[in-house]
């Protein structure tokens, strides 16, 4: 996997952090009050260029496709007007995880570039409308990658498609195919009709926990913006723990990455049921916290910051 540039890290690293929490969205501990211990377990992390191969399963629609592709592009290409804060600033925090390696060179961390190099659609529902992880997902990965192990597969579901494991405390996830040659991949559910009260929040009223403000999505499409939130978190966790043996906080049987431990936080002052203080687009009323490429705006999830050893957002 040369182009994925998976760097094998040889030394163990552990970092202790105090996290804050928004309850009722898939957590089994309270990061507002509990101490989470981020431990490096010696496995590979991703860096360099990550080449995404996206499978749009079902009729995903132009708004979802364009919103997700614009977000991916915005990770490395700032908006021409350079309005602050930028998505690129959020991504630099992700890149800074490389500085935690004991033998890392001083100065700025190397760039991690994420590119969409291949896309495929399946509107005939060839594999049905309920996708299983062991049966259908490996076939879809083969469909979109054609066996090319240099590609990182991303499976995105349409509104009428269910993916095993989604809506059970997760709205997207990074996983591994089974032996003999496991490879990492990401699945992204669609909350338009599938558990919107869990995976559509904060753009849809939450099913559980305290009731707080419901935000207007920056693109005007609840599903598209919620899927960016979910995908962004899964991507961060995949970068730091692609093979499930690198950097994560172990919570009993669960391995929680730098995005998962901060789930539910989008701005300062976040509390259970309250995403926190964010910006508002004066023209559309949409809520966001980062400017992207092509004048797009995004609401990005908080992630763990190795400098402050806590959840961070703009």
């Amino acid at each position: 996997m040369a182009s994925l540039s998976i760097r094998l890290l040889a030394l163990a690293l552990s970092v202790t952090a105090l996290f804050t929490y928004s309850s009722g969205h898939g957590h089994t501990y309270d990061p507002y009050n509990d101490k989470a211990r981020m431990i490096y377990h010696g496995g590979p992390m991703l860096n360099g260029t990550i080449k995404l191969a996206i499978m749009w399963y079902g009729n995903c629609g132009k708004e979802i496709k364009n919103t997700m592709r614009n977000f991916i592009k915005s990770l490395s290409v700032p908006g021409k007007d350079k309005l602050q804060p930028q998505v690129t600033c959020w991504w630099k925090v992700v890149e800074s995880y490389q500085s935690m390696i004991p033998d890392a060179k001083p100065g700025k961390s190397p760039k991690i570039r994420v590119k969409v190099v291949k896309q495929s659609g399946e509107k005939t529902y060839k594999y049905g409308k309920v996708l299983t992880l062991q049966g259908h997902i490996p076939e879809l990965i083969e469909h979109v990658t054609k066996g090319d192990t240099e590609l990182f597969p991303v499976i995105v579901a349409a509104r009428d498609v269910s993916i095993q494991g989604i809506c059970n405390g997760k709205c997207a996830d990074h996983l591994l195919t089974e032996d003999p040659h496991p490879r990492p991949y990401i699945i992204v559910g669609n909350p338009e009709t599938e558990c919107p009260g869990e995976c559509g929040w904060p753009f849809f009223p939450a099913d559980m926990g305290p009731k707080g403000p419901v935000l207007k999505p920056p693109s005007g499409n609840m599903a598209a913006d919620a899927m960016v939130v979910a995908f962004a978190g899964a991507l961060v966790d995949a970068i730091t723990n692609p093979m499930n043996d690198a950097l994560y906080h172990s919570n009993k049987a669960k391995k929680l990455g730098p995005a998962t431990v901060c789930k539910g936080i989008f701005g300062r002052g976040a509390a259970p049921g309250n995403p926190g203080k964010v910006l508002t687009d004066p023209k559309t009323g949409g809520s966001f916290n980062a400017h992207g490429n092509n004048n797009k705006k995004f609401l990005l999830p908080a992630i763990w910051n190795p400098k402050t050893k806590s959840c961070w957002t703009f």
Side-chain angles (χ1 to χ4, degrees), residues 22-74:
S22 175
S23 64
H25 299 285
H27 290 282
T28 54
Y29 79 107
D30 181 354
Y32 273 125
N33 301 299
D34 298 345
K35 287 185 177 181
R37 187 174 177 81
M38 296 290 289
I39 301 176
Y40 171 65
H41 295 80
M45 294 174 66
L46 299 181
N47 63 12
T49 299
I50 302 171
K51 298 180 179 180
L52 301 184
I54 302 180
M55 163 60 74
W56 306 102
Y57 190 79
N59 186 14
C60 292
K62 290 183 179 180
E63 289 184 348
I64 288 174
K65 292 180 181 180
N66 289 337
T67 301
M68 290 190 65
R69 286 185 299 227
N70 279 324
F71 164 68
I72 293 168
K73 186 175 181 179
S74 296

Side-chain angles (χ1 to χ4, degrees), residues 42-253:
M45 294 174 66
L46 299 181
N47 63 12
T49 299
I50 302 171
K51 298 180 179 180
L52 301 184
I54 302 180
M55 163 60 74
W56 306 102
Y57 190 79
N59 186 14
C60 292
K62 290 183 179 180
E63 289 184 348
I64 288 174
K65 292 180 181 180
N66 289 337
T67 301
M68 290 190 65
R69 286 185 299 227
N70 279 324
F71 164 68
I72 293 168
K73 186 175 181 179
S74 296
L75 294 174
S76 57
V77 182
K80 294 181 179 180
D81 48 19
K82 297 183 179 180
L83 295 174
Q84 297 298 326
Q86 288 277 331
V87 174
T88 52
C89 296
W90 182 85
W91 191 243
K92 285 180 181 178
V93 175
V94 179
E95 293 173 334
S96 72
Y97 296 138
Q98 297 171 92
S99 66
M100 298 166 58
I101 304 169
D103 60 349
K105 295 181 180 180
K108 292 184 179 180
S109 297
K111 295 287 186 181
I112 300 176
R113 300 190 181 278
V114 183
K115 296 183 178 181
V116 179
V117 299
K118 189 174 182 180
Q119 300 178 72
S120 182
E122 176 50 68
K123 294 184 179 181
T124 66
Y125 301 95
K126 178 179 179 180
Y127 302 98
K129 294 188 176 182
V130 179
L131 303 179
T132 61
L133 298 181
Q134 295 182 352
H136 302 120
I137 295 299
E139 295 184 52
L140 287 171
I141 290 175
E142 178 64 25
H143 182 118
V144 72
T145 65
K146 305 300 182 185
D148 188 347
T149 57
E150 294 184 348
L151 301 179
F152 192 107
V154 179
I155 312 300
V156 182
R159 64 189 298 271
D160 53 353
V161 175
S162 298
I163 305 180
Q164 180 185 355
I166 297 298
C167 293
N168 185 24
K170 297 178 180 179
C171 307
D173 202 4
H174 83 280
L175 301 161
L176 287 173
T177 58
E178 294 187 338
D179 292 335
H181 302 293
R183 65 183 298 176
Y185 66 93
I186 289 174
I187 54 175
V188 184
N190 187 316
E192 186 173 347
T193 56
E194 192 82 1
C195 60
E198 180 175 0
C199 292
W201 188 86
F203 308 118
F204 192 92
D207 289 336
M208 300 174 60
K211 305 301 179 182
V214 176
L215 307 181
K216 185 175 181 179
S219 75
N221 186 298
M222 180 275 286
D225 288 308
M227 291 168 79
V228 165
V229 170
F231 170 70
L235 181 62
V236 172
D237 289 351
I239 293 290
T240 55
N241 191 28
M243 305 302 290
N244 287 337
D245 58 0
L247 183 68
Y248 60 86
H249 161 69
S250 181
N251 181 43
K252 296 183 179 179

Side-chain angles (χ1 to χ4, degrees), residues 285-299:
S287 297
F288 70 102
N289 58 10
H291 294 271
N293 184 261
N294 200 24
N295 295 318
K296 301 300 181 182
K297 299 176 178 65
F298 301 96
L299 187 70

